[in-house]
Amino acid sequence: MIFAHGAGAPADSPFMNILAAELEANGIPNVRFEFPYMQKRRQDGRKRPPDRQPRLLECFAEVVEQVRQDVGDECALIVGGKSMGGRMASLFASECAGIDGVVGFGYPFHAPGKPDNWRTGHFASLRCPMLIVQGTRDPFGKPDEMVGRESELEGVSLHWLEGGNHDFQPLARQNTSQEALIAEAARQTRVFVETCPKPQALSTNE
């Protein structure tokens, strides 16, 4: 899996570190990378807004090409990411062949407080299966907001993490933790990946 970060946090944020480790534990090797604006932030410490979409997708394409060269054509290749990274992964998979699946963790269906401006128009052009793992309290897209949008989400699998917010943090009163919800997200990703093309190329370690 090629695993991209969200708009505001780098590839080695606590969320990304925990999820990457849980994916590995579920037999899904993953590669993380940073978009150009985040690379510049790491160099000089200055926060910047994300690059424009064409540059983000260009960067994604460069990483996919390099990873494909490293792993070969017989290995299943999944793209995914946290929030914005997941959206870019899905846009890339809607435009390019050679991807076996997409996973979005905390997908930004819309900006918080702007539920009328949905970011799912490209889903109909996806060339591979997609999974979205979403917290039920995520301000970027909640369960009740999916009602009436079934046609837009056709072919996309949704798994809800009860009580999770955009970072899969549960309510304090819940008998669970952020780490537990992230682990659930990784397990669901493994289930999803096993239904994607070329499953024989994946590790069988549980």
Side-chain angles (χ1 to χ4, degrees):
M1 173 181 279
I2 298 173
F3 186 25
H5 61 82
D12 59 355
S13 69
F15 179 96
M16 296 284 286
N17 284 340
I18 296 170
L19 182 52
E22 290 291 343
L23 290 169
E24 290 278 358
N26 280 273
I28 304 176
N30 54 88
V31 174
R32 285 176 278 173
F33 71 96
E34 290 183 340
F35 294 110
Y37 78 98
M38 192 62 71
Q39 296 173 19
K40 293 177 183 177
R41 171 178 163 179
R42 190 175 291 279
Q43 292 168 1
D44 60 20
R46 291 175 50 200
K47 289 189 176 182
R48 295 173 171 82
D51 302 298
R52 293 185 180 275
Q53 182 172 304
R55 183 66 185 105
L56 296 174
L57 292 176
E58 179 184 10
C59 179
F60 221 122
E62 292 168 355
V63 176
V64 168
E65 181 179 4
Q66 181 60 59
V67 171
R68 179 56 81 189
Q69 290 178 1
D70 293 341
V71 302
D73 293 336
E74 297 306 313
C75 181
L77 186 61
I78 311 296
V79 294
K82 171 75 170 73
S83 192
M84 180 198 75
R87 182 178 175 227
M88 290 304 112
S90 64
L91 283 163
F92 179 81
S94 72
E95 298 175 358
C96 301
I99 301 300
D100 299 302
V102 187
V103 185
F105 301 98
Y107 188 85
F109 286 99
H110 58 75
K114 299 180 179 180
D116 294 329
N117 186 19
W118 272 54
R119 300 159 174 166
T120 56
H122 62 288
F123 282 5
S125 300
L126 282 169
R127 303 185 183 189
C128 59
M130 181 174 183
L131 168 69
I132 294 175
V133 184
Q134 195 88 350
T136 58
R137 295 190 300 120
D138 194 330
F140 288 82
K142 300 178 181 179
D144 60 346
E145 296 173 338
M146 307 298 146
V147 177
R149 296 185 177 275
E150 290 80 6
S151 61
E152 298 175 41
L153 302 173
E154 186 176 0
V156 176
S157 300
L158 266 170
H159 181 80
W160 295 100
L161 300 176
E162 184 61 38
N165 66 6
H166 194 53
D167 293 321
F168 300 170
Q169 184 71 49
L171 291 166
R173 65 174 181 268
Q174 288 182 245
N175 186 27
T176 189
S177 65
Q178 182 189 37
E179 289 78 9
L181 292 186
I182 292 175
E184 181 181 343
R187 290 192 297 272
Q188 289 300 318
T189 303
R190 175 67 195 209
V191 172
F192 167 75
V193 166
E194 288 178 343
T195 70
C196 292
K198 304 179 183 178
Q200 71 277 4
L202 295 172
S203 166
T204 57
N205 295 332
E206 298 295 338

